[in-house]
Amino acid sequence: MDVVLEVFDTFVFDRLYAVLLPASSISVTRDTFNYAATSTVSSMREMPTALNHASQFLQLDPSPFAYMSAWSRDNIWRQLLSLYLITWLFGAFVYFIFASLSYFLVFDHATFTHPKYLKNQVRLEIAQTLKSLPVMAVLTVPFFVAEVKGYAKLYDAPAEAPFALYNLLQIPFFILFTDFFVYWIHRGLHHPRLYKTLHKPHHKWIMPTPFASHAFHPMDGWAQSVPYHVFPFLFPLQKFAYIFLFVTINIWTIAIHDGEYVSNSPIINGAACHTMHHLYFNYNYGQFTTLWDRLGGSYRAPNIELFSRESKMSKSEWERQSAEMEVVQKSVEGDDDRDYGAEMRKISKKIQ
């Protein structure tokens, strides 16, 4: 995250901290301003701190504001606050942009008439997400600060990899590692002692929309993200690959909630597999692949009807889904306290 932090420092936070927490002991004259604007960091002998770039591939010249705050860029309290704001607000930005694109361009709005679609569901999904993101950010920031402080095994140049081929292998290795641990964490969250408190808020959405992707209890969302943050402390990971994976994971999380069943792959745990999980609770805990579900005995192949729009949106298929879902839901949760809305139930009866 040091690369991301440097970008935000350069374009946002340097000026913000200079205004809110000015350095009273440093007087910056007009000449210093002009000099700083045209000089490299290493040549600024009069400045209090030399700024090191996070990557040799992205070198942004700092503005004079970088030296005008009582909190320098390497101040841990500044880093904590900055990374918190980035994690929370940038996370919300990615969520709204990609969930909205998926909702308007991919998601089938006929799902609104499914008998298990909730009253005001999209609004409820967004509300749950907006409540959870700030808390998840608090829990996540310590990982990012530790990375910025150099405790992770993130590397910059490809030549710094353990061996040349590792630059290619790191991504599938990351996926296999995190998929394994997310599987077990997710499965553990279905334990009766944890489910109703931590994981049930995400299972409120039987027929999720893309906006349900981040609609978790904050401890649930954070727990399932831990493997992604632990990986670079255990294994080398290139900095830009890490940023790519961070964004891609969030997009993938949205994609598996979009209800568009493109792939009936026996390997990829896509939207169809994840729909089985939301409908029937105790199957398909994996994030990316079906591997660990198959080995763990929790894999359920998607209903073949899901791969034809006519059959997946048919009244008979919905009735079959609902009948089985109600049996499983009763055994897992007891009484169903969801509000499906009387009007939606009336509309669903008209679906042919």
Side-chain angles (χ1 to χ4, degrees), residues 18-77:
V19 172
L20 297 180
L21 292 167
S24 59
S25 62
I26 299 176
S27 173
V28 183
T29 65
R30 180 179 299 178
D31 289 339
T32 304
F33 267 89
N34 293 334
Y35 182 70
T38 59
S39 301
T40 62
V41 172
S42 61
S43 67
M44 295 180 188
R45 303 302 182 188
E46 68 272 56
M47 292 300 183
T49 306
L51 301 180
N52 296 316
H53 293 296
S55 171
Q56 62 180 299
F57 303 111
L58 182 66
Q59 299 191 12
L60 301 172
D61 292 330
S63 73
F65 293 106
Y67 308 96
M68 295 172 60
S69 173
W71 280 7
S72 63
R73 284 189 180 184
D74 61 355
N75 181 286
I76 191 168
W77 300 111

Side-chain angles (χ1 to χ4, degrees), residues 296-333:
S298 55
Y299 174 69
R300 173 167 175 167
N303 299 344
I304 194 64
E305 291 82 4
L306 295 180
F307 299 96
S308 164
R309 189 180 189 281
E310 290 73 21
S311 59
K312 82 174 183 178
M313 292 297 177
S314 68
K315 182 179 179 181
S316 60
E317 174 64 12
W318 285 0
E319 287 177 345
R320 186 171 71 83
Q321 289 174 356
S322 298
E324 184 178 355
M325 169 264 164
E326 287 169 2
V327 173
V328 179
Q329 180 274 322
K330 184 75 172 178
S331 68
V332 172
E333 298 180 346

Side-chain angles (χ1 to χ4, degrees), residues 141-277:
V141 161
F143 289 109
F144 289 152
V145 171
E147 291 170 14
V148 170
K149 293 297 186 184
Y151 294 104
K153 297 184 178 182
L154 294 166
Y155 66 91
D156 189 31
E160 298 172 25
F163 52 92
L165 190 58
Y166 187 84
N167 289 297
L168 297 177
L169 295 178
Q170 62 182 326
I171 292 180
F173 181 34
F174 177 92
I175 290 171
L176 286 173
F177 175 91
T178 57
D179 199 39
F180 172 78
F181 285 101
V182 170
Y183 170 82
W184 285 109
I185 292 169
H186 189 180
R187 187 165 184 168
L189 287 163
H190 277 259
H191 189 281
R193 292 185 178 179
L194 298 176
Y195 175 81
K196 288 188 177 181
T197 301
L198 295 182
H199 197 50
K200 185 179 176 181
H202 187 62
H203 272 274
K204 184 175 184 176
W205 332 112
I206 302 300
M207 294 300 296
T209 80
F211 291 106
S213 58
H214 293 66
F216 292 95
H217 183 289
M219 285 297 298
D220 177 4
W222 174 78
Q224 294 194 62
S225 75
V226 166
Y228 307 127
H229 301 300
V230 167
F231 181 91
F233 289 92
L234 300 177
F235 306 102
L237 188 61
Q238 203 278 332
K239 291 182 178 182
F240 288 97
Y242 179 54
I243 296 169
F244 167 78
L245 288 165
F246 181 82
V247 174
T248 301
I249 288 163
N250 282 275
I251 296 173
W252 177 260
T253 303
I254 292 167
I256 62 175
H257 292 87
D258 66 13
E260 187 59 35
Y261 314 123
V262 176
S263 172
N264 189 13
S265 170
I267 299 173
I268 299 172
N269 187 39
C273 283
H274 201 65
T275 292
M276 292 291 98
H277 180 71

